[in-house]
């Protein structure tokens, strides 16, 4: 499903961006930066945040055993 009509970005693209980076993504701007584009009108920001909130939390590796 297309989430951002300005950049033609789907929910699948957003989940792919989250899975392809080691950085934690918290906002539409961070996701779009990762995808090589920018937020334009901003109507999609709430939908992007909702998709980010659906992602499982990342494990934090402390380096200790
Ligand atoms: S719909 Fe995403 S920036 Fe316009």
């Amino acid at each position: 499903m297309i989430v951002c009509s300005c950049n033609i970005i789907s929910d699948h693209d957003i989940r792919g961006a989250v899975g392809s980076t080691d950085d934690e993504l918290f906002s539409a701007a961070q996701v779009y930066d990762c995808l090589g584009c920018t937020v334009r009108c901003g109507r999609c920001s709430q939908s992007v945040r909702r998709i980010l909130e659906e992602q499982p939390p990342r494990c934090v590796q402390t380096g200790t055993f």
Side-chain angles (χ1 to χ4, degrees):
M1 172 183 76
I2 295 295
V3 173
C4 175
S5 54
C6 292
N7 290 300
I8 317 298
I9 292 175
S10 70
D11 57 328
H12 186 77
D13 294 328
I14 294 167
R15 290 187 181 93
V18 170
S20 68
T21 181
D22 291 334
D23 297 329
E24 191 91 29
L25 302 177
F26 297 104
S27 68
Q30 290 175 311
V31 170
Y32 290 1
D33 187 47
C34 192
L35 290 170
C37 53
T38 59
V39 178
R40 295 183 188 173
C41 74
R43 283 181 300 176
C44 56
S45 295
Q46 192 170 9
S47 298
V48 172
R49 267 198 303 276
R50 191 167 43 247
I51 292 169
L52 292 176
E53 289 169 3
E54 291 171 0
Q55 301 304 304
R58 292 176 177 241
C59 294
V60 176
Q61 294 182 347
T62 60
T64 58
F65 296 99

